[in-house]
Every structure is written in C-alpha cells, then in structure tokens.
Amino acid sequence: MKLIGKTLEKDSSGSITLLPEELEDMWHVYNLISKDDMIKATTIRRIQSESSTGSSTSQRVRLTLTITVESVDFDPHVGLLRINGRVSSENQYVKMGSYHTIDLELNRNFTIFKPEWDIIALERVEDACDITKQADVAAIVCQEGLANICFLTQHMTIVRQRIESPIPRKRKGSVTNHEKGLVKFYEQIYQSIIRLVHFDIVKAIIVASPGFVKDQLYTYIFDQAIKTDNKVLMENKSKFVLIHSSSGHKHALTEIMQDPSVMAKLSDTKAAREVQALDKFYEMMNMDPDRAFYGFEHVSKANEQGAIGTLLVTDELFRSADIATRKKYVELVEQVREQNGSVFVFSSMHPSGEQLNQLTGVAAILNFPLPDIDDLIEEEEAEED
C-alpha cells in the first residue's frame, strides 16, 4: 500500500488517500473503513439517458464519487472489497442521496474521510504502508495427493494455491504407477514454489506433512534444483524447515506455528509473537488462573487495577458497526499502553486470531494476581441495582 496524501485536523478528523497494490492491502482497507465514513473513489455507473424522440439508452460511465458508507463486504479469497452507501457530493450524473456501490480496485487511489482517526486506524495505515512487513513466511502443508501453498503475512493467512493430484495405490508386485503419481505431484509443488515464493522477502519456508511426504518433497525440490542449476533455491536452502503436521489442510498451520523449531526460525515475525503470547495466556490460565482473564468485563476491571502486562485483542472488535463498542476497545488499548503494557492486535484471518475470537476476542495476562476480581464486578453490579 502506498500513502498518497494525509490531511488531519487537531480534532483528529480528516482524510487519508491510499493506493492499494496487493490483495492484503484490501484486508487493511476493510479494517479501516467504518459505517458513516466517507469514501471518494473512481467507480463505474450505468447512466440512463433519454433522447428527444423518447427512446432511452444506457451507458457505463467511469466517474469519481463520494459516498457515505453504510456497509462493507470483503471476499478475502479474491480480494474484492465492496462498499455500499449514499452519494454525498454533487455529480452531473448522480443525484445526492442516491445509493451506489463502489468496488475498490487495486492500483487505483481512493480517499477515506473520517470524523475521527483513532490510534488503531492510524497504526493500521502505518503498518499497511511499511514495505518491510509483507509476507515473510511461506508454508507448504501437504499429504499424499494434496498440498496447500500458503503465505503468512502479518495480518492474513493466504492460500495462494491448492494442489490436488490423484496418486494410484501401490499394487502387489508393482509400485511404478504410484511412484509416477508422486513425482508428478512433487513436480507441481516444485513449479509452484518457483513461481510464487519471493526468496528476497520470505524469511522461512515451512514444509509440513504427516509421515514422510515432507522429507520426500524436500529431497525432490533440491534434486531438481541441482539438475536445473537453480541457484536461487540452493542459496535459500537454509530457509526450509521440515515439520510434522496432522494433515495437509490449512488448519494444520495452528499446530505448525507452535512447533519450537518454527518459533526459533520466526522469532522476529509478528505471527510468531502472537502465537507465543496466546500460548503464554493458556499456560497462565492453567498455572496461575488469577493472572489470566478474558472477556471485556474482567479485562476492563483488571485494567482499572493497573494489572495488565499483556493485552490480546482481535481486529474484529475494532470493526464493530457500533461506534461506542469500537471506542471502548480503542480506549482500553491506549490505557494499557500508557501503563507500559504490551498490546497484540491479532488478525482474525490468522488461526491464532480465530482462537482468540473463541475467547470473546479480548484477553489479558496480568502482572500480579487478582483473585477477587469477580467480587469487585459483583459489588459494582449490586451498587448499580
């Protein structure tokens, strides 16, 4: 994503113009846009016109419109972002107040106007425009006949290619067809790696499978690299990490990311830090439950006591259509930071974010135990009654 322009007033209102360049940028934009924001972008609209003879014709016209956002739909697989709302600025073709849907496109500027740019939105813009924070982990999760080639960026797990290749069973006295099927399968994966993986950006390539598929695939990749004199692959051999997984499906990534050898390799990536924080939370729940709480009510009460060391929160909570809900989570993040606590904003497009969403989307690891937190909440409720 490129930052094209930024105009912010003292009251935090203003506009930011951005240029989305790749699929993940659309995910950032989806998280930036809230109900009642205004979006200015080029769009296509079918215009009806009537001639003097009474016959009507329609044509598609590309024009620049500003709309007030009512709803946003995002399809992460194709990166399509559709914004629906009412036209809020005069245009020769479109009446004020009429409905229009803008499909945001890659490599076309658009401008977001917000009544208030809070700290979460501004950090999202900063993250999206930082070139060093692109996809830094590739993962080939496979089993015989099935492979998912995934990229783990800071905010998304993207399945770039799913390979399915039928492999004949071993027959008594003959394994030729089975071996031919495996070679064809491995060759498809090898070609996809060459085509999809940018070795100058990627810090690690995880190869994971049940059984020996990963080892056979790894051997095949580097046999082919030697045969074809692929210097790039040979130079990046140290980036490959072989890991056991329960299956070749995408959801196996959760267990893969918890493997100590992967952790060591990815210690400086955001995805690994989030997984570590979530693991530490679960560990604390088992070992010292008075120092681990989830749910807004409990976490908020712990924050009032200045007890939060690490706050875990999913980006889904900041997408709430209810402004008051969004504000209370933004304030929680700001208060924890003011008290020198760490804050992890998990992406709901990552397996770790999905796990955190199952715990209401907000959790905290405390610096000291608060065994009487439930009593404090009950006292408050009794006072209110």
Side-chain angles (χ1 to χ4, degrees), residues 69-86:
V69 177
E70 291 197 1
S71 64
V72 186
D73 292 312
F74 177 62
D75 182 339
H77 301 295
V78 293
L80 179 66
L81 190 64
R82 186 160 280 177
I83 303 156
N84 187 43
R86 288 178 182 268

mmCIF file of all heavy atoms in Angstrom, residues 69-86:
data_model
loop_
_atom_site.group_PDB
_atom_site.id
_atom_site.type_symbol
_atom_site.label_atom_id
_atom_site.label_comp_id
_atom_site.label_asym_id
_atom_site.label_seq_id
_atom_site.Cartn_x
_atom_site.Cartn_y
_atom_site.Cartn_z
ATOM 1 N N VAL A 69 -20.544 5.757 3.882
ATOM 2 C CA VAL A 69 -20.553 4.294 3.995
ATOM 3 C C VAL A 69 -21.708 3.800 4.873
ATOM 4 O O VAL A 69 -21.932 4.307 5.970
ATOM 5 C CB VAL A 69 -19.210 3.798 4.592
ATOM 6 C CG1 VAL A 69 -19.222 2.288 4.785
ATOM 7 C CG2 VAL A 69 -18.047 4.223 3.708
ATOM 8 N N GLU A 70 -22.432 2.804 4.340
ATOM 9 C CA GLU A 70 -23.473 2.136 5.138
ATOM 10 C C GLU A 70 -23.094 0.684 5.442
ATOM 11 O O GLU A 70 -23.407 0.167 6.499
ATOM 12 C CB GLU A 70 -24.822 2.207 4.412
ATOM 13 C CG GLU A 70 -25.355 3.632 4.368
ATOM 14 C CD GLU A 70 -26.833 3.709 4.031
ATOM 15 O OE1 GLU A 70 -27.473 2.655 3.850
ATOM 16 O OE2 GLU A 70 -27.351 4.847 3.951
ATOM 17 N N SER A 71 -22.440 0.022 4.475
ATOM 18 C CA SER A 71 -21.997 -1.362 4.718
ATOM 19 C C SER A 71 -20.769 -1.667 3.863
ATOM 20 O O SER A 71 -20.561 -1.053 2.810
ATOM 21 C CB SER A 71 -23.113 -2.360 4.401
ATOM 22 O OG SER A 71 -23.432 -2.317 3.020
ATOM 23 N N VAL A 72 -19.962 -2.624 4.354
ATOM 24 C CA VAL A 72 -18.743 -3.031 3.643
ATOM 25 C C VAL A 72 -18.706 -4.550 3.577
ATOM 26 O O VAL A 72 -18.897 -5.223 4.590
ATOM 27 C CB VAL A 72 -17.463 -2.528 4.370
ATOM 28 C CG1 VAL A 72 -16.223 -2.836 3.539
ATOM 29 C CG2 VAL A 72 -17.534 -1.044 4.671
ATOM 30 N N ASP A 73 -18.494 -5.092 2.379
ATOM 31 C CA ASP A 73 -18.350 -6.548 2.212
ATOM 32 C C ASP A 73 -16.969 -6.840 1.673
ATOM 33 O O ASP A 73 -16.490 -6.143 0.766
ATOM 34 C CB ASP A 73 -19.400 -7.091 1.230
ATOM 35 C CG ASP A 73 -20.802 -7.001 1.803
ATOM 36 O OD1 ASP A 73 -20.978 -7.423 2.953
ATOM 37 O OD2 ASP A 73 -21.695 -6.482 1.108
ATOM 38 N N PHE A 74 -16.344 -7.893 2.207
ATOM 39 C CA PHE A 74 -14.993 -8.247 1.769
ATOM 40 C C PHE A 74 -14.915 -9.734 1.493
ATOM 41 O O PHE A 74 -15.321 -10.552 2.322
ATOM 42 C CB PHE A 74 -13.986 -7.857 2.854
ATOM 43 C CG PHE A 74 -12.560 -8.239 2.531
ATOM 44 C CD1 PHE A 74 -11.923 -7.711 1.422
ATOM 45 C CD2 PHE A 74 -11.854 -9.115 3.340
ATOM 46 C CE1 PHE A 74 -10.612 -8.051 1.117
ATOM 47 C CE2 PHE A 74 -10.538 -9.461 3.054
ATOM 48 C CZ PHE A 74 -9.924 -8.920 1.933
ATOM 49 N N ASP A 75 -14.405 -10.106 0.319
ATOM 50 C CA ASP A 75 -14.152 -11.502 -0.015
ATOM 51 C C ASP A 75 -12.641 -11.701 0.006
ATOM 52 O O ASP A 75 -11.939 -11.257 -0.905
ATOM 53 C CB ASP A 75 -14.709 -11.839 -1.399
ATOM 54 C CG ASP A 75 -14.513 -13.311 -1.755
ATOM 55 O OD1 ASP A 75 -13.631 -13.950 -1.148
ATOM 56 O OD2 ASP A 75 -15.224 -13.823 -2.638
ATOM 57 N N PRO A 76 -12.092 -12.351 1.075
ATOM 58 C CA PRO A 76 -10.632 -12.438 1.208
ATOM 59 C C PRO A 76 -9.954 -13.287 0.140
ATOM 60 O O PRO A 76 -8.776 -13.120 -0.133
ATOM 61 C CB PRO A 76 -10.435 -13.065 2.597
ATOM 62 C CG PRO A 76 -11.718 -13.740 2.905
ATOM 63 C CD PRO A 76 -12.795 -12.994 2.187
ATOM 64 N N HIS A 77 -10.713 -14.202 -0.482
ATOM 65 C CA HIS A 77 -10.080 -15.111 -1.449
ATOM 66 C C HIS A 77 -9.743 -14.413 -2.757
ATOM 67 O O HIS A 77 -8.743 -14.716 -3.390
ATOM 68 C CB HIS A 77 -10.975 -16.325 -1.691
ATOM 69 C CG HIS A 77 -11.255 -17.079 -0.426
ATOM 70 N ND1 HIS A 77 -10.262 -17.727 0.270
ATOM 71 C CD2 HIS A 77 -12.396 -17.236 0.287
ATOM 72 C CE1 HIS A 77 -10.779 -18.274 1.359
ATOM 73 N NE2 HIS A 77 -12.074 -18.001 1.393
ATOM 74 N N VAL A 78 -10.584 -13.463 -3.151
ATOM 75 C CA VAL A 78 -10.290 -12.744 -4.409
ATOM 76 C C VAL A 78 -9.908 -11.287 -4.146
ATOM 77 O O VAL A 78 -9.548 -10.549 -5.053
ATOM 78 C CB VAL A 78 -11.488 -12.803 -5.396
ATOM 79 C CG1 VAL A 78 -11.701 -14.207 -5.880
ATOM 80 C CG2 VAL A 78 -12.764 -12.240 -4.779
ATOM 81 N N GLY A 79 -9.965 -10.887 -2.870
ATOM 82 C CA GLY A 79 -9.565 -9.515 -2.526
ATOM 83 C C GLY A 79 -10.555 -8.464 -2.988
ATOM 84 O O GLY A 79 -10.191 -7.321 -3.230
ATOM 85 N N LEU A 80 -11.841 -8.853 -3.112
ATOM 86 C CA LEU A 80 -12.861 -7.902 -3.581
ATOM 87 C C LEU A 80 -13.460 -7.162 -2.389
ATOM 88 O O LEU A 80 -13.938 -7.773 -1.439
ATOM 89 C CB LEU A 80 -13.961 -8.651 -4.344
ATOM 90 C CG LEU A 80 -15.110 -7.783 -4.880
ATOM 91 C CD1 LEU A 80 -14.633 -6.821 -5.955
ATOM 92 C CD2 LEU A 80 -16.235 -8.648 -5.423
ATOM 93 N N LEU A 81 -13.414 -5.833 -2.469
ATOM 94 C CA LEU A 81 -13.953 -5.001 -1.393
ATOM 95 C C LEU A 81 -15.072 -4.143 -1.967
ATOM 96 O O LEU A 81 -14.857 -3.342 -2.880
ATOM 97 C CB LEU A 81 -12.843 -4.109 -0.829
ATOM 98 C CG LEU A 81 -13.159 -3.354 0.445
ATOM 99 C CD1 LEU A 81 -13.411 -4.317 1.597
ATOM 100 C CD2 LEU A 81 -12.008 -2.433 0.824
ATOM 101 N N ARG A 82 -16.272 -4.351 -1.446
ATOM 102 C CA ARG A 82 -17.467 -3.683 -1.982
ATOM 103 C C ARG A 82 -18.052 -2.778 -0.902
ATOM 104 O O ARG A 82 -18.380 -3.232 0.192
ATOM 105 C CB ARG A 82 -18.462 -4.758 -2.401
ATOM 106 C CG ARG A 82 -19.680 -4.272 -3.087
ATOM 107 C CD ARG A 82 -20.320 -5.400 -3.878
ATOM 108 N NE ARG A 82 -19.641 -5.608 -5.145
ATOM 109 C CZ ARG A 82 -19.966 -6.570 -6.005
ATOM 110 N NH1 ARG A 82 -20.922 -7.407 -5.710
ATOM 111 N NH2 ARG A 82 -19.324 -6.679 -7.135
ATOM 112 N N ILE A 83 -18.156 -1.488 -1.218
ATOM 113 C CA ILE A 83 -18.638 -0.503 -0.234
ATOM 114 C C ILE A 83 -19.959 0.068 -0.720
ATOM 115 O O ILE A 83 -20.045 0.607 -1.836
ATOM 116 C CB ILE A 83 -17.606 0.639 -0.061
ATOM 117 C CG1 ILE A 83 -16.249 0.053 0.353
ATOM 118 C CG2 ILE A 83 -18.065 1.634 0.981
ATOM 119 C CD1 ILE A 83 -15.083 0.920 0.002
ATOM 120 N N ASN A 84 -20.960 -0.045 0.124
ATOM 121 C CA ASN A 84 -22.297 0.416 -0.246
ATOM 122 C C ASN A 84 -22.664 1.640 0.592
ATOM 123 O O ASN A 84 -22.386 1.702 1.782
ATOM 124 C CB ASN A 84 -23.306 -0.718 -0.009
ATOM 125 C CG ASN A 84 -24.678 -0.364 -0.531
ATOM 126 O OD1 ASN A 84 -24.807 0.183 -1.629
ATOM 127 N ND2 ASN A 84 -25.700 -0.633 0.251
ATOM 128 N N GLY A 85 -23.294 2.635 -0.049
ATOM 129 C CA GLY A 85 -23.708 3.824 0.707
ATOM 130 C C GLY A 85 -24.417 4.829 -0.175
ATOM 131 O O GLY A 85 -24.735 4.562 -1.329
ATOM 132 N N ARG A 86 -24.701 5.998 0.417
ATOM 133 C CA ARG A 86 -25.412 7.049 -0.327
ATOM 134 C C ARG A 86 -24.418 8.086 -0.840
ATOM 135 O O ARG A 86 -23.470 8.456 -0.154
ATOM 136 C CB ARG A 86 -26.419 7.741 0.590
ATOM 137 C CG ARG A 86 -27.638 6.888 0.931
ATOM 138 C CD ARG A 86 -28.543 7.643 1.881
ATOM 139 N NE ARG A 86 -29.694 6.861 2.285
ATOM 140 C CZ ARG A 86 -30.870 6.874 1.653
ATOM 141 N NH1 ARG A 86 -31.034 7.628 0.576
ATOM 142 N NH2 ARG A 86 -31.874 6.148 2.096
#
